[in-house]
């Protein structure tokens, strides 16, 4: 069999290209869940469309596109020329990568099979693949990407394979069969030779949005002017390597630096700065004084004036409002979640107001009295709504919108979304004391309010979202003080301080915290593993446990658990009826408790990675291990509360019995 492989040669006419379309990547990339990665745009066309054109341009005419039943949307999105033979295979049950190859191969023909992933940006030259495979004389050649950091080293699997037709004999006709996990070991066990080769350049594979962003930027940096990608584009500036489609409008005052590709019908406004490598799809509007750097803008999106977009991926039909400052983010189009949340809150608030109006009028000047008295009610409510509405409109964009995006997209600060609702529940729990509080407005607080707005203006000038958020926090407190008075603010001062937990930490402070936390997580996990008898070696943030490498990433540093547990502990402290010193100890003890739980999670996850081989179970331990630690953390807190209740025992309250004193005369 080996001699037949050595003497057998193949040409591109006898090649069949098998393209594997992956399923939606649930839980890893929100964008991939909504839109299959094979359909992510690349200069106006889906990535899979570009891949087919690249392969067909080199002489291949036969294609088989394999995927699950959930990927049938891919077929409708492609424009296949008539001269190509393209077959789509969508399986009801997953067959695996090797199973897809067997289903795609023609048992009656002697054909060389090329396997490509659909999510790829820079496919290699097919002649190079055939040459590498022919020189090695093996049944299969597995190709790897070159390392970008050091020449001659391998970075990762390019998911590109060249296979001889005889490998089909080793793939079962039914059931799931993976190429790397099943077929390769089967061929090795059968004595069939397999070789590895390195591509001349990175193939641009991507699974996540930031990998896609990096792959497109690398492609643009090494782009050849004769590339098919640029077919239909006109070179605007040869020095800066700027390419434009049809009906592109660029203001003369705009400044651009390539490599840059601009799609059809796009508009670049005055005083706009665009720095490549960047790609702007069709029908995109960039308003004046915007800054766009190393980003990808999908079709029909709008970039508002004074926006700063750096290393971001903007979803299609997404509108960014004025002065949005975004750095290395996936910016998805809105699904109306904020509007639905506001509407869901309206009915309870209206019903609570109706119940309040039905209460009996009290003689003293309280919040309750001000609410039900017609004259005072109108003036107070109008003043409060006027000032609140004006400030809310001023802070709505970009402070509140950006804060909402942080809650939705950041795992570390997603717990901040619960803080306003928990604070509202605390106020409702204290409503009797709040309603009895007298209202004495303090108009002179408007001077402090003015100083707080100057602080916000300084944050806008220096582009500091943290300063803007802090000024918004101060504004809420000063506004309550000014309209309702000192006594009212004194009652709700702890709840107002609790609201600061809904804001993310400043970037500088976050960086100073996360680095030591990441190191602590690694060191403490190694200590626990060694105490349990495992052979552990730590190299930076990499834990080598009995030969299995476990990386302690930034997301595992414990900041997520720390912020979430601070929110829960603060809520418990504000609701509990305890002594002040007990509340302080409980609040500050949340830090060591959160770090302890994170250490336990990393220890259990490392042990799970050592004994479990299935990726599904490894992902479950890694992603949901943090949720399992929250009951443990709450249990420790409840034990702490119980311990404090037993630590100090007051005198027993015994009934006082009257004594009869008899004196003898």
């Amino acid at each position: 069999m080996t001699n037949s492989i050595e003497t057998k040669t193949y040409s591109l006419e006898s090649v069949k290209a098998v393209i594997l379309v992956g399923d939606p990547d649930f839980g890893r990339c929100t964008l991939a869940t909504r839109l299959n990665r094979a359909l992510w745009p690349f200069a106006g066309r889906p990535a899979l469309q570009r891949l087919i054109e690249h392969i067909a341009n080199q002489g291949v005419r036969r294609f088989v596109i394999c995927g699950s039943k959930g990927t049938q949307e891919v077929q409708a999105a492609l424009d296949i020329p008539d001269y190509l033979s393209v077959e789509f295979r969508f399986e009801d049950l997953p067959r695996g990568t090797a199973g897809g190859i067997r289903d795609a191969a023609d048992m009656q023909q002697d054909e060389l099979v090329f396997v490509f992933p659909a999510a790829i940006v820079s496919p290699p030259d097919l002649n190079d693949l055939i040459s590498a495979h022919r020189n090695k004389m093996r049944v299969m050649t597995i190709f790897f990407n070159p390392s970008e950091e050091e020449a001659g080293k391998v970075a990762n699997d390019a998911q590109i394979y060249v296979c001889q037709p005889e490998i089909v004999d080793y793939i079962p006709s039914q059931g799931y069969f993976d190429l790397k996990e099943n077929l390769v070991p089967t061929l090795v066990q059968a004595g069939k030779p397999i070789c590895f080769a390195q591509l001349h350049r990175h193939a641009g594979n991507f699974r996540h949005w930031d990998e896609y962003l990096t792959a497109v930027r690398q492609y643009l940096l090494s782009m050849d002017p004769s590339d098919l990608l640029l077919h239909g584009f006109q070179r605007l500036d040869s020095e800066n390597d700027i390419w434009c489609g049809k009906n592109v409008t660029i203001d003369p005052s705009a400044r651009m630096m390539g490599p840059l590709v601009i799609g059809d019908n796009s508009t670049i406004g005055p005083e706009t700065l665009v720095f490549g490598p960047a790609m702007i799809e069709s029908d995109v509007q960039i308003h004046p004084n915007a800054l766009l750097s190393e980003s990808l803008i999908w079709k029909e999106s709008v970039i508002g004036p004074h926006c700063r977009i750096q290393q971001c991926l903007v979803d299609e039909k997404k509108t960014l409002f004025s002065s949005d400052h975004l750095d290395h983010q996936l910016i998805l189009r809105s699904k109306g979640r904020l509007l639905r949340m506001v509407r869901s809150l309206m009915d309870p608030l209206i019903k609570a107001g109706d119940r309040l109006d039905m209460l009996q009028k009290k003689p003293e000047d309280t919040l309750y009295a001000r609410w039900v008295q017609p004259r005072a009610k109108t003036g107070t409510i109008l003043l409060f709504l006027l000032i609140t509405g004006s400030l809310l409109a001023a802070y709505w964009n970009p402070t509140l919108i950006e804060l909402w995006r942080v809650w939705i997209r950041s795992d570390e600060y997603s717990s901040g979304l619960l803080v306003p609702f928990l604070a509202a529940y605390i106020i409702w729990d204290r409503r009797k004391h709040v309603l009895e509080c007298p209202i004495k407005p303090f108009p002179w607080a408007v001077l402090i309010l003015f100083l707080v707005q100057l602080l916000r203006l300084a944050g806008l000038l220096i582009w500091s979202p943290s300063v803007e958020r802090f000024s918004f926090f101060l504004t809420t407190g000063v506004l309550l003080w000014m309209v309702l008075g000192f006594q009212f603010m004194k009652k709700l001062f702890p709840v107002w301080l609790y609201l600061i937990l809904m804001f993310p930490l400043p970037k500088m402070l976050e960086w100073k915290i996360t680095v030591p936390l990441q190191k602590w997580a690694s060191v403490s996990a190694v200590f626990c593993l060694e105490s349990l008898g495992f052979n552990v070696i730590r190299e930076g943030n990499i834990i080598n446990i009995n030969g299995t490498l476990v990386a302690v990433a930034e997301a595992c540093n414990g900041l997520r658990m720390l912020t979430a547990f601070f929110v829960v502990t603060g809520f418990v402290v504000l609701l509990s009826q305890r002594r002040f010193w007990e509340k302080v100890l409980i609040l500050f003890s949340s830090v060591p408790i959160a770090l302890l739980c994170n250490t336990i999670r990393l220890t259990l996850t490392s042990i799970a990675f050592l004994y479990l081989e299935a990726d599904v179970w490894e992902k479950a331990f890694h992603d949901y291990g943090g949720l399992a630690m929250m009951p443990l953390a709450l249990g420790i807190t409840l034990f702490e509360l119980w311990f404090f209740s037993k630590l100090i025992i007051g005198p027993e309250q015994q009934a006082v019995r009257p004594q009869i004193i008899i004196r003898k005369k």
Side-chain angles (χ1 to χ4, degrees):
M1 180 64 68
T2 304
N3 294 333
S4 62
I5 297 174
E6 294 179 353
T7 57
K8 182 67 177 178
T9 60
Y10 292 91
S11 62
L12 290 176
E13 288 76 10
S14 60
V15 165
K16 175 178 285 187
V18 178
I19 302 176
L20 304 177
V21 178
D23 291 332
D25 202 2
F26 293 102
R28 296 192 178 184
C29 182
T30 309
L31 182 60
T33 304
R34 181 180 64 82
L35 181 65
N36 194 287
R37 292 186 301 272
L39 300 181
W40 289 11
F42 189 44
R45 302 183 186 179
L48 178 55
Q49 180 80 33
R50 291 287 183 184
L51 175 61
I52 294 175
E53 293 175 357
H54 173 84
I55 299 175
N57 189 57
Q58 300 183 58
V60 177
R61 296 293 180 265
R62 294 181 297 159
F63 295 83
V64 178
I65 300 177
C66 302
S68 64
K69 192 175 182 180
T71 60
Q72 292 183 356
E73 60 175 349
V74 174
Q75 182 177 0
L78 298 179
D79 183 14
I80 305 299
D82 296 334
Y83 62 88
L84 296 181
S85 173
V86 180
E87 180 184 359
F88 292 89
R89 289 183 172 269
F90 300 108
E91 301 290 342
D92 294 333
L93 297 176
R95 288 277 288 128
T97 51
I101 294 175
R102 177 183 174 86
D103 296 340
D106 191 347
M107 307 295 291
Q108 306 298 327
Q109 295 187 9
D110 187 13
E111 56 186 7
L112 194 63
V113 178
F114 280 24
V115 183
F116 294 94
I120 189 173
V121 171
S122 305
D125 187 271
L126 301 188
N127 292 310
D128 295 339
L129 301 183
I130 291 180
S131 177
H133 179 72
R134 183 186 298 121
N135 293 337
K136 299 297 182 179
M137 302 300 179
R138 298 295 188 265
V139 295
M140 176 187 293
T141 302
I142 304 175
F143 290 89
F144 285 81
N145 290 315
S147 175
E148 301 173 6
E149 300 177 356
E150 187 173 350
K153 286 194 174 182
V154 173
N156 53 15
D157 182 10
Q159 303 177 24
I160 298 177
Y161 310 90
V162 178
C163 308
Q164 296 291 138
E166 63 179 277
I167 67 166
V168 177
D169 299 335
Y170 299 91
I171 303 175
S173 58
Q174 301 293 334
Y176 183 89
F177 206 70
D178 187 74
L179 198 152
K180 291 186 293 185
E181 297 181 1
N182 303 113
L183 179 58
V184 172
T186 301
L187 293 176
V188 172
Q189 187 177 5
K192 297 298 180 180
I194 300 175
C195 70
F196 304 90
Q198 180 175 310
L199 300 175
H200 296 300
R201 67 171 184 176
H202 200 287
N205 313 77
F206 60 88
R207 288 182 55 85
H208 199 263
W209 71 268
D210 54 354
E211 296 177 356
Y212 166 75
L213 185 66
T214 302
V216 174
R217 290 204 306 252
Q218 291 175 348
Y219 185 91
L220 294 176
L221 288 172
S222 59
M223 184 171 53
D224 188 355
S226 61
D227 198 306
L228 285 177
L229 172 72
L230 301 176
H231 181 69
F233 290 86
Q234 181 181 1
R235 195 166 192 174
L236 181 64
D237 189 342
S238 59
E239 182 178 356
N240 289 327
D241 203 14
I242 299 176
W243 298 81
C244 297
K246 300 177 182 178
N247 302 323
V248 175
T249 303
I250 301 176
D251 191 89
S253 62
R255 297 293 179 265
M256 296 181 294
M257 181 177 296
L260 175 63
V261 177
I262 305 176
D264 300 340
N265 307 314
S266 295
T267 302
I268 311 295
E271 304 296 335
T272 300
L273 300 178
V274 182
F275 299 105
M279 183 174 292
I280 301 173
E281 297 291 345
S282 60
D283 300 295
V284 172
Q285 298 181 20
I286 302 180
H287 286 266
N289 296 292
L291 170 63
L292 181 67
S293 176
E294 301 183 40
S295 300
L296 303 182
I297 314 296
W298 284 6
K299 64 180 182 179
E300 301 182 29
S301 295
V302 178
I303 309 299
H306 303 281
C307 286
R308 302 293 183 267
I309 312 298
Q310 300 179 358
Q311 297 183 358
C312 295
L313 172 59
V314 181
D315 195 2
E316 61 182 17
K317 300 180 181 180
K318 174 65 179 177
T319 299
L320 297 178
F321 298 96
S322 175
S323 304
D324 277 345
H325 298 166
L326 303 170
D327 186 7
H328 197 267
Q329 294 185 25
L330 171 62
I331 308 171
L332 295 173
R333 66 189 185 199
S334 176
K335 297 182 178 179
R337 287 174 289 188
L338 180 60
L339 181 60
R340 289 196 299 270
M341 182 188 69
V342 172
R343 289 179 177 175
S344 64
L345 292 176
M346 289 301 295
D347 291 340
L349 291 177
I350 294 175
K351 293 178 181 178
D354 294 339
R355 287 194 299 267
L356 193 62
D357 288 336
M358 296 174 61
L359 295 177
Q360 184 179 2
K361 181 179 178 180
K362 295 185 178 181
E364 58 182 7
D365 187 19
T366 63
L367 176 63
Y368 164 79
R370 283 293 184 96
W371 184 265
V372 298
Q373 290 178 4
R375 296 180 181 178
K377 173 183 176 181
T378 303
T380 304
I381 292 179
L382 288 179
L383 176 62
F384 184 82
L385 291 180
L386 178 62
I387 300 176
T388 304
S390 301
L391 293 176
L392 185 62
Y395 281 93
W396 183 258
N397 186 28
T399 306
L400 296 180
I401 293 179
E402 181 59 28
L403 184 61
W404 173 261
R405 291 170 180 159
V406 171
W407 289 340
I408 295 300
R409 301 170 184 170
S410 174
D411 293 333
E412 286 76 12
Y413 302 111
S414 58
S415 58
L417 181 60
L418 299 175
V419 174
F421 301 99
L422 296 179
Y425 180 81
I426 296 172
I427 296 175
W428 177 257
D429 184 70
R430 302 180 179 183
R431 62 188 181 276
K432 293 183 179 179
H433 301 286
V434 173
L435 294 176
E436 294 173 356
C437 185
I439 293 181
K440 294 182 179 180
F442 185 68
W444 292 104
V446 70
L447 299 178
I448 303 177
L449 186 64
F450 177 76
L451 294 178
V452 173
Q453 303 316 306
L454 291 180
L455 177 63
R456 191 221 178 189
L457 180 61
L460 291 173
L461 293 177
I462 64 176
W463 294 356
S464 177
S466 299
V467 175
E468 296 180 47
R469 295 163 186 160
F470 184 67
S471 66
F472 176 71
F473 170 73
L474 295 178
T475 298
T476 58
V478 176
L479 188 61
L480 291 174
W481 182 24
M482 181 180 66
V483 177
L484 301 176
F486 178 78
Q487 293 296 329
F488 186 90
M489 187 61 190
K490 183 179 178 181
K491 289 283 186 180
L492 294 183
F493 184 76
V495 183
W496 176 68
L497 285 181
Y498 179 68
L499 290 177
I500 202 172
L501 296 178
M502 70 181 183
F503 299 99
L505 295 174
K507 290 296 182 182
M508 183 64 68
L509 180 60
E510 180 182 350
W511 181 81
K512 290 184 178 181
I513 292 177
T514 54
V515 173
L517 283 179
Q518 190 177 9
K519 182 178 180 181
W520 161 260
S522 305
V523 173
S524 59
V526 169
F527 175 79
C528 294
L529 291 171
E530 289 179 343
S531 301
L532 294 175
F534 292 95
N535 184 17
V536 185
I537 299 176
R538 185 178 73 89
E539 299 179 359
N541 293 319
I542 304 297
I543 300 177
N544 187 337
I545 172 173
N546 294 346
T548 301
L549 298 180
V550 179
V552 182
E554 293 183 3
C556 302
N557 54 31
L559 181 60
R560 181 192 317 178
M561 188 172 297
L562 191 62
T563 54
F565 197 58
F566 244 119
V567 170
V568 176
T569 306
F571 179 70
V572 173
V573 166
L574 290 175
L575 285 181
S576 61
Q577 302 294 330
R578 295 293 181 124
R579 301 178 182 89
F580 178 76
W581 66 269
E582 293 183 28
K583 293 185 176 182
V584 172
L585 288 179
I586 292 172
L587 185 62
F588 283 95
S589 66
S590 61
V591 176
I593 292 175
L595 296 179
L596 174 63
C597 292
N598 189 54
T599 299
I600 296 175
R601 181 180 72 90
L602 287 176
T603 303
L604 296 179
T605 302
S606 301
I607 297 175
F609 280 19
L610 179 63
Y611 293 102
L612 299 178
E613 297 181 357
D615 295 338
V616 176
W617 289 105
E618 292 181 358
K619 181 180 182 302
F621 270 96
H622 183 273
D623 293 349
Y624 303 109
L627 297 177
M629 292 297 106
M630 290 304 297
L632 175 62
L634 289 176
I636 298 176
T637 303
L638 294 177
F639 173 79
E640 192 176 11
L641 291 172
W642 174 83
F643 176 76
F644 285 153
S645 65
K646 300 296 182 181
L647 184 62
I648 298 178
I649 302 176
E652 294 182 0
Q653 308 227 349
Q654 297 179 351
V656 180
R657 298 180 180 178
Q659 296 182 358
I660 301 176
I661 301 176
I662 301 176
R663 295 181 181 181
K664 293 182 180 180
K665 295 183 179 180

